[in-house]
Amino acid sequence: MKDILRINSIAEVHKFFGLEKPKHPLISVLRVTNELQKKDLEKFKYALGLYQISLKESCAYTISNYGRNQYDFEEGSMIFMAPHQVVEVEKQNIPTNSGSWSIVFHPDLIRKSELGKKIDKYSFFDYASHEALHLSNDERNTLSAIATTIEQEFTQQIDMHSQTLIISNLELLLNYCIRFYDRQFYTRTNLNQDLVSKFETLLKDYYALNKQEELGIPTVQYCGAELNMSPKYLSDLLKKETGSSTQDHIHKFIIEKAKYNLLNSTVSASEIAYNLGFEYPQYFSKIFKKKTALSPNAFRQSYN
């Protein structure tokens, strides 16, 4: 079993790769050179206490494991890693040239900024690696130009404006990535519709097999795992296709089953809640009222 190598600072990243001391203590842009690719990276698993944004062009290494997923990190694709994700890499043929780069930055860089307050809105940091962003040439050039601007900013004389400009360009890059992911969702709409159908079938099968008796109501994590997707990617995909998140879909499905049971049986609302997989009937009542504007009992009485 491989040891996990934990790297928690920009200085440690540079030291590991045998690079000169970083120009900035909290951010760096790593260019994938032939010399860098000769380093044996397969000995360890890696966990960075840093954010990482990586573009792969021609590169000697590919990500083989990311969290629980195996993945071929394709040419012209990007992945986004939040701090403390565990990664394994695998050696490929070393090319003569590479346009690959990685931006790594410490959470402290953005902690007191507006970007720090909303970093969670960039949900692709929680996507699995097989949900990478696949870029066109123009998109790749746009993002690479911003990465170069960031690099130039911290390699020049750092002044009172440097931090603001670095963070604003980092946010610009992330906002472009939201746009490009939206394009990717849109261009894959037929495939996504198939996945929406699979998701709906998954919920039906869940109750047909009485899994709620053991597992409770379906969770976003369960649905994502069954469909081989990260929870965030599944929710984003469903929202693009249907306007509703995974949790909303789950609750809507459960409420429809509850309505049927309320109108076609004399079983109490509490027992219906337990039969649907709720641990607490009060939580069922809260969701039911949120979706219908009526309590379960009031809904039943309105049809009598």
Side-chain angles (χ1 to χ4, degrees), residues 87-153:
V87 179
E88 280 186 89
V89 296
E90 184 177 284
K91 194 75 175 283
Q92 296 179 315
N93 294 328
I94 298 176
T96 41
N97 294 299
S98 176
S100 302
W101 49 261
S102 289
I103 298 174
V104 287
F105 64 95
H106 196 281
D108 285 351
L109 176 74
I110 62 171
R111 197 175 300 280
K112 295 181 180 180
S113 69
E114 287 301 311
L115 177 57
K117 294 176 185 177
K118 59 185 180 184
I119 191 67
D120 289 343
K121 98 170 190 180
Y122 300 101
S123 52
F124 40 72
F125 278 107
D126 292 314
Y127 288 177
S129 55
H130 64 283
E131 297 152 355
L133 174 59
H134 302 288
L135 301 167
S136 68
N137 285 333
D138 287 344
E139 291 168 348
R140 195 157 61 241
N141 291 338
T142 296
L143 299 181
S144 292
I146 298 172
T148 298
T149 299
I150 292 171
E151 185 177 30
Q152 289 172 343
E153 191 56 46

Side-chain angles (χ1 to χ4, degrees), residues 26 48 64 86-87 119 162 169 183 188 224 255 265 282 290 300:
L26 298 177
L48 270 65
S64 58
V86 177
V87 179
I119 191 67
S162 299
N169 276 282
R183 183 269 308 155
R188 296 181 175 187
I255 295 308
S265 75
Q282 300 93 321
K290 182 179 179 181
R300 173 180 268 167

Side-chain angles (χ1 to χ4, degrees), residues 4 6 45-48 65-68 84-88:
I4 296 179
R6 300 190 181 277
K45 293 181 180 180
Y46 302 90
L48 270 65
N65 285 289
Y66 178 88
R68 298 179 181 178
H84 309 298
Q85 299 283 354
V86 177
V87 179
E88 280 186 89

Side-chain angles (χ1 to χ4, degrees), residues 234-287:
L234 177 59
S235 279
D236 287 349
L237 184 153
L238 288 171
K239 200 141 195 174
K240 299 295 181 190
E241 290 296 323
T242 67
S244 299
S245 68
T246 311
Q247 190 73 274
D248 287 337
H249 276 279
I250 292 170
H251 287 168
K252 181 180 178 182
F253 181 86
I254 291 172
I255 295 308
E256 289 304 311
K257 288 187 73 65
K259 286 179 179 178
Y260 180 86
N261 291 335
L262 285 165
L263 298 180
N264 291 279
S265 75
T266 57
V267 174
S268 70
S270 293
E271 191 170 345
I272 288 172
Y274 289 127
N275 290 340
L276 289 170
F278 285 90
E279 188 175 357
Y280 302 106
Q282 300 93 321
Y283 182 48
F284 162 68
S285 296
K286 180 180 178 181
I287 293 173

